[in-house]
């Protein structure tokens, strides 16, 4: 193929597999391309593959890879990569489903609503899903009565087990659940997975949990398509892994779990896994992220779930421990040649443990290991085995025991699940290991790849068959198409007698054969085979070219792993075991088998037989394929490794299917798509109307293409033809682009010239105007300058004169002021001097006076003090003399008594002397008195001086205190200054905070305003809720009253009535299939046993009511029509019940009769047509009951009265007059129960009518979501005309919906259905329309297109017009119910989506849609009209991150909408919305005039 500059191609690259590139230069032998990594590479044209030039315009991906323009390896790879980046993990390749593991939870893809969406839908109509494959297999089984199979393949970690679970879950959903022991079949099959993984999975080089066996789960169905049983069948267990593994692989998980089991391991004398030969051949004992001990307990729990008893569990783990001990038994040469014995004490210990655990004889065990017996006609010959043969014998025993144990586990799991042996059809799910290619490949990889070659042949046949079926359906000739087959590969491996397996078995039969002899013989016999090659650096290795690539095998261990002997001694040994489980596994061999005690069995041959059995099973079924892909090796989401995925696609056969398609007609397009893409090649034929098939043929003939065929609806092209068409289309488009560019450049140049010319004229005019204005300005400025100069000169002179005058005045005033101030200051100084002098003289004289005064006082004080001291001394001396005189006086007085007689004589002589003495004494007394007065004065002056001194001391103390206080105040002042500075800083910070608080206050005020508005809204809502609460309280009061009546009635029911009630219920016939809205069964109300004769009056109305059933039945069964919009039947029934006083009866069956009659009418065949009629009648009757019945005083008190008492026991019917001429009746319990049953009946009729409408409109909606092909073609043609907008598409399908709605409105109006019911019905119907259209839009990629959005938008506009025409009274909020589909469609048809931000999309364009729903639409959208790009990658990536974050948090994060099946009204709503019906003027129909029970109505009229 030739490439031109600008061609988009794929170029091969080692790291990424393939890279996007563009041709920048095309030479003769090489092509220079620019890769997406901005590197230029020169490659040969043969190594390039073409890439679709328009792949980015259609969303960049397709959901079915057969729709790819170029079906090649990089196209498949990058289509999967783009879809995986959008979380679109499922992709079709024809009927094959490719599932890429997302490594995260996507619950929205697997809920029950999603299963309901795929139920019964043809494969390919909706987005790819595993449910679609499961549904296709189930429908094919039911319709064709043929068993189906679903083959799930892929490497470990690709999600095979999870996919298998989802398939079984869906089959359980559509096929019903067969429950055993409270667990479904699906649950029991899945619960066996941990057990099978422990015993059948192991670590390989590539995967830590690789299945080493194939699993085929058969889900069995009965004739009606219900699940009746299941079975698990296993194939191709890798037995050789038990005894031989390579590093870094591991043995089966169960061995490592048992070694890490703690006490259980000690019980079986097990240590670390490294101590056992069967486990320590590899140094890998632990798996990252896995705890062996925890896994051990999970395995035991799985055994409990499956139903394996404790004793059998012990036997299983004993057997596993025995295998490990058996592997540690070593042998040494015996005494005889070619004999062997147990090597040492360690081996002997393991031998004893093996015998103990297997519960067999140790000597017999040794004998079976070290020797074998040969039965001949002459007797039994015992032959000793050498060490190598003994080791092989030991390994054979270990493999045999493990294989039979595994088969026993599978058998018990099947017993636990339960099989249906009579099942005629089943769906099998195959979960098997995928193709393996490692650095070192041994016998196991050879067998696994052989199995995959077999399955690939089956896969190729199926793919070719599907190709043939499509060719047949399109009626094209396909007989010459070559079928790509791999039969030569299968012949190379399994053909006898020179196939690889046959040669391997032949080599194993000879004891002396080695892998060298096997390889030599194989190369000698098969050297000419094209798929077999001999390696260059090894004589024994060989390479096979498989369908998935070349694999090199090392034959070193082929013979050892292929040998599997059936040893009679082993069977005899284990059949004699005391363990029931082991002895049951090894039954005694027949006699002919015993004779050949060492019978050879080939693992490869048995493998081939099992594989053949599996293929025979699959050949009897119709296959369906699911290829699971692991996107990366680190199990992280949103990481796609190209090389790894490419390898898996090759191994899974997907690329092989592509090659099969390439062998036929890989490119197939519908005629509309082909014409839309390549119609530009024949523009002369595109005018007017045309036949798309004829136009397609004309295009191909004009391009001179021969390798094509025209089918009924599609054109089929051979490989390479589409590239030729694309090249020619690119040339046409390039020429058209050049023409458009030339015309556009001419237009731009002329436009620029005209702009330049107009600009030059404008510039010239502007320049002339500027010059004239400039001259005018100069002249004007000159004249103005003269005037200004004149005025300026005058102003300058005037200003100078004024300045001089003011300066003179200022100087004069300043001088005068200076002189006056100087004189005034002199006078003031003189006066002040005089004052100072006078004050100084006065002060000087006063100071001198004070000085003299103080000195005088001081001298006086000193002198007086001196005199006082002197007088004081004298007084002291005088005081001393007076004491002596007193003593003398006393003595003289004493002597006087003695001398009295002597004195008598001398009295006269001494009289003068006594008088003198008396005078002296008086003088002395006076002197003493004077001295005492002076002393007192001195004392007083001393006291005065002391008081003065005290006063001075106090003043001094006060002054000291003042000084101390001043010092303290000074310190306080300094502290206050510091505090003041701190306060200033605080004030500054407070001012800053104040400014911040002011800002916050302003913000808070704004928010408070918003909050106030919200509070007003909340207050309104609270008011509404308060009203609803009051209604609910009223309703609760009524319910409490009714419950109280029920309680009292229950107390009054007698045993006899109860037994009658049960007998009546037993005698009812079996009910048929019930509708989803089921009316409660009418209850027989039984009266209590009469206690007095007063109750006879209550029986009379009941007996009369039973005779009136006939008239009520006729009113219900016959269509009595309407009078003045009032339902006649409802009014007649209410009148009769009111006249017969049925509402006041304590017990009556007439209400049950009415309900049963209505239910009978609704169950009739023609009931669907009468639903509007009965909705009108039952609602009118219910409203009459609600408005005219009331509960009496009985409901307000819990007391019970006797039957004969006044009030409740007798007749309590009271009519209370009302303003609307209707009367309220005190109702009894049967009437209240009748109202409840009638309410249920109204809800049932409404729900049944709504469901019928949904069923009728669903087929109309299914064709309205996608525009017809002709419409899209017309829209495409119209868009290509310049200057013409998009034409309105044909709305024939939408017209059908409008006609359906018009017919519905006419029917409802004819039956006078209240507008309240019409409004609710239309609203729910439009909600259903919204849900169906929106869900279909999200599930079908072909609906998420620009042209389809225009088509649906035009249809929605017709619905909007219909809603406007019927007015809001009947339509209500129907237009609002279409919010989701309106916003989604509006998003589809907006232009320049790439400029829209996520905020604009989520808040402005689609506010009602969730991010997950918007992301779904963005990932599926493509512009089929203008080929513009969708949302930008940045917005899509942001939405993807939000979706991934919310996935784990949401309980249900489905992007689909759920249908609302609730009843959108309550009894209170009916009473408030429906006006009261005046039944008084409704007359009795003539057909009922002859009936005697209604004569009262004729009399009343």
């Amino acid at each position: 193929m030739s490439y031109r500059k600008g061609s988009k191609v794929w170029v091969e690259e080692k790291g990424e597999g393939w890279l996007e590139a563009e041709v920048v230069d095309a030479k003769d032998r090489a092509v220079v391309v620019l890769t997406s990594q901005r590197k230029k590479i020169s490659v040969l044209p043969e190594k390039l593959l073409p890439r679709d030039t328009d792949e980015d315009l259609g969303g960049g991906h397709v959901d079915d890879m057969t729709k790819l323009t170029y079906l090649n390896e990089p196209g498949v790879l990058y289509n999967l990569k783009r879809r995986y980046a959008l979380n679109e993990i499922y992709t079709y390749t024809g009927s094959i489903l490719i599932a890429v593991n997302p490594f995260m939870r996507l619950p929205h893809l697997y809920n029950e609503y999603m299963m309901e969406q795929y139920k019964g839908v043809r494969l390919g109509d909706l987005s790819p899903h595993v449910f679609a494959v499961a549904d296709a297999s189930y429908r094919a089984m039911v319709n064709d009565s043929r068993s189906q199979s679903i083959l799930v393949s892929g490497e470990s970690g690709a999600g095979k087990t999870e996919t298998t679970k989802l398939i079984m879950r869906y089959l359980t959903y559509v096929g019903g659940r067969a429950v055993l022991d409270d667990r479904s079949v699906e649950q029991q099959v899945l619960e066996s997975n941990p057990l099978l993984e422990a015993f059948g999975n192991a670590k390989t080089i590539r995967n830590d949990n690789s299945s080493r066996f194939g699993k085929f789960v058969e889900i069995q169905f009965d004739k009606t398509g219900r699940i009746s049983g299941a079975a698990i069948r296993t194939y191709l267990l890798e037995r050789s892994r038990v005894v031989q593994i390579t590093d870094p692989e591991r043995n089966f998980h169960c061995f490592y779990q048992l070694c890490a089991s703690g006490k259980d391991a000690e019980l079986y004398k097990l240590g670390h896994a490294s101590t056992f030969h069967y486990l320590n051949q590899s140094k890998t004992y632990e798996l990252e992220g896995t705890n062996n001990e925890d896994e051990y307990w999970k395995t035991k729990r799985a055994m409990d779930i499956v139903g394996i008893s404790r004793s059998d569990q012990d036997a299983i783990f004993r057997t596993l421990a025995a295998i490990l001990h058996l592997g540690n038994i070593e042998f040494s040469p015996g005494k005889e040649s070619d004999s062997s014995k147990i090597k040492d004490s360690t081996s002997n210990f393991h031998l004893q443990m093996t015998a103990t655990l297997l519960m067999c004889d140790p000597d017999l065990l040794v004998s079976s290991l070290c020797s074998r017996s040969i039965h001949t006609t002459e007797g039994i010959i015992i032959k000793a085995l050498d060490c190598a043969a003994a080791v092989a014998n030991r390994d054979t025993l270990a493999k045999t025991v493990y294989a039979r144990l595994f088969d026993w586990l599978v058998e018990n799991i099947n017993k636990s699940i339960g099989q249906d042996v009579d099942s005629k059809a089943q769906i099998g799910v195959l979960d098997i290991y995928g193709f393996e290619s490692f650095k070192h490949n041994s016998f196991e990889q050879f067998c696994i790849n052989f199995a995959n070659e077999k399955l690939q042949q089956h896969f190729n046949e199926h793919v070719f068959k599907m190709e043939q079926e499509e060719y047949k359906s399109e009626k094209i000739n396909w007989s010459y198409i070559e079928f790509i087959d791999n039969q030569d590969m299968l012949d190379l491996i399994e053909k006898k007698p020179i196939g690889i397996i046959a040669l391997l078995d032949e080599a194993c039969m000879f004891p002396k054969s080695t892998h060298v002899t096997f390889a030599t013989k194989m190369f000698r016999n098969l050297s000419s085979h094209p798929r077999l090659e001999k390696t260059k650096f090894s004589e024994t290795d060989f390479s096979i070219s498989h369908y998935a690539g070349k694999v090199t095998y090392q034959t070193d261990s082929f013979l050892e792993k292929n040998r599997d002997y059936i040893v009679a001694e082993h069977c005899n040994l284990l059949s004699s075991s005391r363990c029931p489980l082991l002895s049951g596994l090894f039954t005694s061999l027949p006699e002919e088998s015993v004779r050949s005690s060492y019978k050879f069995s080939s693992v490869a041959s048995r493998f081939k037989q099992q594989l053949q059995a599996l293929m025979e099973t699959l050949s009897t079924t119709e296959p369906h394929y699911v290829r699971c892909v692991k996107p990366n090796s680190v199990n992280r989401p949103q990481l796609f490794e190209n090389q790894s995925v490419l390898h898996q696609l090759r191994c899974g056969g997907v690329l092989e299917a592509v090659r099969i398609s390439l062998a036929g007609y890989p490119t197939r397009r519908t005629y509309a798509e082909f014409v839309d893409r390549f119609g530009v090649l024949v523009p002369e034929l595109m005018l007017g109307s045309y036949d798309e098939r004829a136009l397609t043929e004309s295009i191909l003939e004009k391009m001179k293409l021969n390798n094509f065929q025209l089918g009924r609806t599609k054109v089929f092209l051979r490989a390479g033809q589409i590239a030729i068409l694309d090249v020619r289309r690119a040339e046409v488009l390039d020429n058209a682009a050049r023409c458009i560019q030339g015309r556009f450049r001419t237009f731009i140049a002329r436009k620029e010239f005209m702009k330049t010319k107009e600009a030059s004229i404008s510039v010239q005019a502007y320049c002339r105007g500027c010059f004239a204005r400039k001259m005018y300005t100069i002249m004007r400025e000159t004249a103005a300058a003269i005037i200004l100069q004149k005025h300026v000169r005058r102003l300058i002179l005037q200003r100078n004169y004024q300045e001089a005058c003011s300066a003179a005045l200022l100087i004069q005033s300043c001088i005068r002021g200076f002189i006056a101030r100087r004189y005034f200051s002199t006078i003031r100084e003189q006066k002040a001097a005089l004052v100072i002098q006078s004050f100084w003289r006065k002060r000087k004289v006063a100071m001198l006076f004070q000085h003299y005064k103080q000195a005088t006082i001081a001298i006086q004080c000193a002198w007086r003090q001196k005199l006082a001291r002197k007088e004081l001394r004298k007084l002291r001396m005088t005081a001393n003399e007076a004491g002596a005189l007193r003593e003398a006086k006393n003595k003289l007085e004493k002597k006087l008594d003695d001398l009295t007689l002597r004195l008598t004589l001398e009295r006269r002589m001494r009289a003068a002397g006594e008088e003198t003495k008396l005078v002296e004494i008086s003088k002395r007394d006076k002197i003493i008195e004077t001295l005492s007065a002076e002393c007192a004065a001195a004392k007083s002056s001393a006291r005065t001086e002391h008081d003065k001194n005290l006063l001075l001391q106090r003043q001094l103390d006060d002054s000291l205190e003042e000084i101390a206080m001043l010092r303290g105040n000074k310190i306080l002042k300094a502290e206050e200054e510091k505090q003041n500075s701190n306060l200033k800083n605080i004030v500054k910070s407070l001012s800053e905070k104040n400014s911040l608080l002011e800002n916050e206050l302003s913000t808070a005020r704004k928010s408070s305003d918003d909050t106030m508005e919200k509070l007003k809204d909340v207050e309104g809502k609270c008011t509404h809720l308060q009203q609803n609460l009051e209604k609910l309280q009223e309703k609760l009061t009524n319910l409490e009253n009714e419950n109280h009546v029920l309680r009292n009635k229950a107390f009054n029911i007698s045993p006899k009535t109860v037994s009658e009630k049960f007998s009546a219920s037993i005698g009812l016939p079996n009910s048929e299939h019930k509708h989803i809205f089921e009316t409660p069964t009418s209850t027989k109300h039984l009266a209590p046993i009469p206690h007095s004769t007063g109750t006879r009056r209550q029986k009379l109305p009941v007996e009369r009511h039973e005779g009136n059933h006939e008239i009520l039945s006729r009113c219900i069964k016959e269509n009595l029509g309407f009078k003045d919009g009032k339902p006649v039947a409802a009014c007649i029934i209410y009148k009769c019940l009111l006249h017969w006083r049925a509402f006041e009866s304590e017990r009556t069956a007439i209400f049950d009769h009415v309900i049963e009659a209505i239910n009978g009418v609704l169950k009739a065949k023609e009931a669907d047509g009468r639903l509007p009629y009965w909705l009108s009648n039952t609602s009118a009757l219910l409203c009459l009951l609600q408005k005219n019945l009331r509960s009496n005083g009985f409901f307000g008190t819990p007391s019970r009265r006797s039957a004969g008492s006044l009030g409740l026991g007798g007749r309590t019917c009271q009519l209370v007059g009302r303003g609307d001429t209707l009367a309220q009746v005190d109702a009894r319990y049967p009437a209240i129960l009748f109202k409840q049953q009638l309410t249920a009946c109204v809800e049932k009729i409404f729900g049944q009518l709504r469901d019928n409408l949904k069923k009728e409109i669903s087929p109309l909606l299914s064709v309205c979501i996608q525009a017809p092909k002709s419409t899209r073609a017309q829209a495409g043609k119209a868009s290509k005309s310049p200057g013409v907008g998009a034409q309105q598409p044909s709305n024939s399908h939408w017209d059908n919906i409008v006609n359906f709605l018009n017919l519905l409105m006419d029917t409802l109006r004819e039956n006078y259905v209240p507008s309240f019911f019409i409004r609710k019905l239309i609203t729910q119907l439009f909600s259903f329309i919204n849900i169906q259209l929106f869900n279909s839009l999200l599930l079908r990629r072909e609906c998420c297109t620009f042209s389809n959005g225009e088509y649906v938008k035009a249809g929605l506009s017709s619905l909007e017009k219909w809603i406007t025409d019927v007015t809001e009274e009947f339509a209500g909020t129907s237009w609002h119910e279409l919010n989701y589909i309106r916003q989604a469609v509006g998003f589809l048809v907006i232009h320049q989506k790439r400029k829209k931000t996520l905020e604009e999309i989520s808040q402005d364009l689609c506010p009602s849609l969730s991010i997950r729903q918007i992301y779904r639409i963005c990932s599926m959208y493509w512009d089929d009209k203008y080929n513009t790009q969708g949302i930008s990658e940045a917005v899509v990536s942001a939405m993807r991150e939000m979706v991934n974050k919310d996935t784990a948090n949401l309980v249900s994060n489905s992007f689909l909408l759920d249908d609302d099946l609730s009843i959108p009204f309550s009894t209170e709503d009916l009473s408030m919305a429906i006006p009261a019906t005046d039944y008084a003027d409704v007359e009795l129909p003539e057909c009922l005039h002859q009936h005697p029970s209604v004569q009262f109505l004729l009399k009343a009229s």
Side-chain angles (χ1 to χ4, degrees), residues 1182-1457:
L1182 178 61
C1183 289
L1184 287 172
L1185 294 179
Q1186 285 184 328
K1187 295 181 182 296
N1188 300 328
L1189 294 185
R1190 70 176 181 182
S1191 302
N1192 55 20
F1194 179 81
F1195 303 120
T1197 175
S1199 61
R1200 296 174 59 192
R1201 302 184 184 182
S1202 61
S1205 62
L1206 294 175
L1208 297 178
R1211 176 171 170 268
T1212 58
C1213 177
Q1214 300 176 2
L1215 298 179
V1216 182
R1218 297 205 321 174
D1220 56 358
T1221 70
L1222 296 177
Q1224 284 192 338
V1225 180
D1226 286 340
R1228 293 292 181 176
Y1229 168 70
I1232 294 173
L1233 189 59
F1234 173 61
K1235 184 173 69 174
Q1236 293 177 351
Q1237 292 174 339
L1238 195 61
T1239 302
C1241 192
V1242 171
E1243 293 177 354
K1244 172 184 175 181
I1245 295 171
F1246 181 87
Q1248 192 172 345
L1249 179 59
R1250 178 194 61 194
D1251 290 350
N1252 290 343
L1253 294 175
K1254 288 181 180 180
K1255 291 178 182 178
E1256 293 177 11
I1257 203 172
S1258 289
L1260 301 178
L1261 294 175
S1262 62
V1263 297
C1264 282
I1265 187 58
Q1266 187 174 3
K1269 295 179 181 178
S1270 59
T1271 303
R1272 291 203 298 271
Q1274 292 171 6
K1277 288 190 292 183
S1279 65
K1280 292 167 184 168
S1281 301
V1284 180
Q1287 296 179 0
Q1288 284 294 102
S1290 174
N1291 285 339
S1292 58
H1293 297 308
W1294 289 94
D1295 291 340
N1296 293 336
I1297 293 181
V1298 173
N1299 294 335
F1300 173 82
L1301 294 173
N1302 288 330
L1303 180 61
L1304 172 63
M1305 284 298 300
D1306 293 341
T1307 304
L1308 296 177
R1309 286 169 175 168
E1310 287 174 1
N1311 289 278
Y1312 294 97
V1313 176
S1315 60
F1316 172 79
F1317 286 110
I1318 297 177
R1319 187 164 57 251
K1320 295 294 182 181
L1321 194 63
I1322 297 298
T1323 301
Q1324 284 207 333
L1325 189 59
F1326 271 81
S1327 175
F1328 178 74
I1329 293 174
N1330 176 67
I1331 292 169
Q1332 291 298 106
L1333 294 179
F1334 185 76
N1335 289 346
S1336 299
L1337 188 72
L1338 297 187
L1339 291 175
R1340 299 167 64 178
R1341 186 169 184 267
E1342 62 271 13
C1343 297
C1344 285
T1345 62
F1346 189 92
S1347 61
N1348 197 68
E1350 289 182 332
Y1351 172 75
V1352 178
K1353 187 176 181 180
L1356 292 177
S1357 63
S1358 63
L1359 293 184
E1360 182 182 13
K1361 183 178 181 302
W1362 184 88
I1363 291 173
T1364 306
D1365 292 342
V1366 299
T1367 70
E1368 188 178 354
E1369 179 186 2
F1370 298 104
T1373 60
S1374 299
W1375 182 242
H1376 178 72
E1377 294 296 329
L1378 299 175
N1379 260 354
Y1380 279 85
I1381 186 62
R1382 285 195 294 117
Q1383 293 176 11
V1385 169
F1387 176 71
L1388 291 179
V1389 298
I1390 62 168
H1391 295 280
Q1392 296 183 342
K1393 294 183 178 66
R1394 203 163 189 81
K1395 296 183 180 180
K1396 301 297 181 182
T1397 64
L1398 178 58
E1399 184 176 356
E1400 290 175 343
I1401 296 173
S1402 60
Q1403 296 182 5
D1404 299 336
L1405 298 176
C1406 307
S1408 299
L1409 274 62
S1410 66
I1411 293 295
R1412 184 177 295 278
Q1413 292 166 340
I1414 299 173
Y1415 176 70
R1416 176 75 176 182
I1417 295 174
C1418 292
S1419 64
M1420 298 179 68
Y1421 170 78
W1422 59 287
D1423 190 351
D1424 61 336
K1425 187 173 182 180
Y1426 301 109
N1427 288 335
T1428 59
Q1429 294 184 344
I1431 301 299
S1432 64
E1433 290 295 331
V1435 175
V1436 173
S1437 300
M1439 284 192 289
R1440 186 189 306 122
E1441 292 179 1
M1442 296 174 67
V1443 168
N1444 292 337
K1445 287 180 182 179
D1446 295 340
T1447 297
N1449 301 331
L1450 297 178
V1451 177
S1452 176
N1453 46 10
S1454 174
F1455 52 77
L1456 300 179
L1457 301 178

Side-chain angles (χ1 to χ4, degrees), residues 389-402:
V391 169
N393 198 13
R394 176 199 67 190
D395 292 344
T396 300
L397 176 61
K399 291 188 289 184
T400 304
V401 171
Y402 191 84

